[in-house]
Amino acid sequence: MGYDVTRFIGEVDEDLICPVCSGVLEDPVQVIPCEHSFCKTCITHWFSQQHTCPADGNVLTFTQLCPVPRIMQKMLLKLKISCDNSVFGCRAVIQLANLETHLRVCEHNPKRLVTCAVGCSLVMPRDELLQHNCVEHLHSRIQQQHSHIVELEKTSEDQKHQLVVQKRDIQALKAYLRTLRNSETNLHDLEDTAEHREVLQWVNSLQPAKVNHWDWVISTPDTAMRALTKGSLVDSGCPASIIDQLIENSHECSWPQGLATLETRELNQHCYENFVARHIPGLQAVVVMASENHHMSENMVLEPGIVMIFAHGVEDLLEA
């Protein structure tokens, strides 16, 4: 199904209109030999019912479909379109090539994932945040843990250790739940804890880093490389409370939206020089801590921080 023509700024060339849905071509394909173009979804559905060209009625087969010429693809990607979330207040007009990237970070997108900042850190669509209740969520987690315990109690002796861990987690959740019920203390007022001070002390012990080639980042480090990085973090005095999360955050699958794919990293490369990065001793790697990067947009940072490993080009800022 094509894009609604009314969403585009200016007149759209008729060659970019799908004859089936009358919308602007989406994921377009072309028919050989008549060279008519259609949305891939539209022509696939059409072929499920009949085997003729929707534009001229000639007999066709599915094997006669091919990608549209590159010049037509470029014409489509340069068209300016209003955001899908215009009905929710977004006034952005972007090139079709950048629409998908914009939608992932659009502040008006009701389905954009956000994190509960009140206390439970649950990730949910933005339109569900107003109805979210931390107490109810934690109650649900406790009930799930209880159900799991009942199941574990019926299993063999070698799973009893897991049972102990589950019970300990329940006690921690119950204690946290009591805190939420009996205190109105804002979560941000709790930052100055011994653990937080330990993290800050460690961060300040690391040398500021200069990255000469951000495009040399190894976004999918293997197990051996991550183990080596973990060892270096341990040797540097990294607090045990955050070290596993930092290692998890060394892979692009855990990175924030602005770094999660090669395409978004290329689009945001101009922002990298604004990162405050710390050199991980002995490695071509840096750690970008959220506590030092409040000036960066939320789609470029991650709690407690991001580990970025490079093929080459990392040095101490003071030596650069």
Side-chain angles (χ1 to χ4, degrees):
M1 192 67 169
Y3 300 98
D4 186 348
V5 178
T6 61
R7 291 179 56 190
F8 290 83
I9 306 302
E11 186 176 352
V12 179
D13 192 294
E14 62 179 9
D15 290 335
L16 304 181
I17 303 296
C18 174
V20 178
C21 68
S22 299
V24 176
L25 292 169
E26 181 177 7
D27 193 12
V29 293
Q30 191 175 75
V31 172
I32 300 174
C34 62
E35 297 186 351
H36 292 122
S37 300
F38 310 93
C39 302
K40 185 174 182 179
T41 301
C42 293
I43 195 63
T44 300
H45 179 70
W46 179 277
F47 274 1
S48 69
Q49 300 175 1
Q50 51 193 308
H51 292 280
T52 58
C53 174
D56 57 26
N58 290 331
V59 176
L60 297 173
T61 65
F62 200 79
T63 58
Q64 291 176 288
L65 294 179
C66 66
V68 297
R70 190 171 182 180
I71 188 170
M72 178 178 287
Q73 190 68 254
K74 287 185 175 182
M75 290 172 62
L76 279 167
L77 294 178
K78 288 181 180 180
L79 293 177
K80 292 188 176 181
I81 186 173
S82 61
C83 176
D84 292 14
N85 302 312
S86 59
V87 294
F88 299 110
C90 183
R91 296 291 177 264
V93 175
I94 56 272
Q95 284 191 339
L96 189 57
N98 300 325
L99 179 60
E100 184 177 346
T101 300
H102 169 77
L103 291 177
R104 285 198 294 267
V105 298
C106 178
E107 295 182 356
H108 298 274
N109 183 359
K111 297 300 179 183
R112 182 169 65 93
L113 295 180
V114 295
T115 302
C116 173
V118 177
C120 71
S121 300
L122 179 67
V123 178
M124 73 198 83
R126 186 169 63 91
D127 60 355
E128 296 179 13
L129 189 61
L130 291 177
Q131 289 75 38
H132 170 65
N133 185 301
C134 288
V135 173
E136 290 181 359
H137 170 64
L138 291 174
H139 262 309
S140 175
R141 287 186 60 186
I142 290 174
Q143 290 172 354
Q144 292 174 6
Q145 295 281 16
H146 270 305
S147 298
H148 196 187
I149 287 176
V150 172
E151 294 176 3
L152 287 173
E153 288 175 339
K154 300 176 182 178
T155 60
S156 58
E157 192 66 29
D158 62 348
Q159 292 178 308
K160 291 298 176 67
H161 175 69
Q162 187 177 357
L163 177 61
V164 172
V165 174
Q166 293 288 337
K167 286 183 175 179
R168 185 181 61 198
D169 290 345
I170 285 182
Q171 294 303 318
L173 279 171
K174 286 182 176 179
Y176 190 36
L177 187 58
R178 286 195 295 270
T179 300
L180 284 178
R181 282 176 169 170
N182 301 326
S183 174
E184 295 181 355
T185 304
N186 189 286
L187 181 65
H188 297 293
D189 295 336
L190 301 177
E191 282 190 346
D192 192 22
T193 61
E195 180 180 307
H196 184 66
R197 290 194 296 273
E198 182 185 11
V199 172
L200 288 180
Q201 184 177 3
W202 169 69
V203 171
N204 291 330
S205 72
L206 301 178
Q207 289 293 329
K210 175 178 175 58
V211 178
N212 296 314
H213 299 284
W214 288 96
D215 54 342
W216 287 359
V217 64
I218 302 173
S219 60
T220 55
D222 58 22
T223 302
M225 188 174 294
R226 297 174 80 174
L228 179 64
T229 304
K230 183 173 182 177
S232 295
L233 288 174
V234 171
D235 293 343
S236 73
C238 179
S241 60
I242 65 170
I243 196 164
D244 286 339
Q245 187 61 56
L246 287 178
I247 292 302
E248 182 178 340
N249 291 354
S250 67
H251 196 286
E252 67 174 16
C253 67
S254 298
W255 285 353
Q257 293 175 339
L259 301 171
T261 66
L262 177 61
E263 178 186 5
T264 55
R265 289 195 292 275
E266 290 177 346
L267 288 173
N268 294 323
Q269 194 166 24
H270 64 283
C271 302
Y272 295 166
E273 293 299 329
N274 297 324
F275 271 138
V276 177
R278 298 281 182 166
H279 192 179
I280 299 177
L283 294 180
Q284 289 293 309
V286 301
V287 59
V288 179
M289 297 297 292
S291 59
E292 292 191 301
N293 287 275
H294 294 303
H295 59 286
M296 300 295 288
S297 64
E298 64 178 14
N299 69 328
M300 296 292 287
V301 294
L302 194 67
E303 290 286 353
I306 308 167
V307 170
M308 303 181 77
I309 305 170
F310 295 85
H312 193 61
V314 178
E315 55 187 312
D316 289 346
L317 186 61
L318 297 180
E319 298 175 359

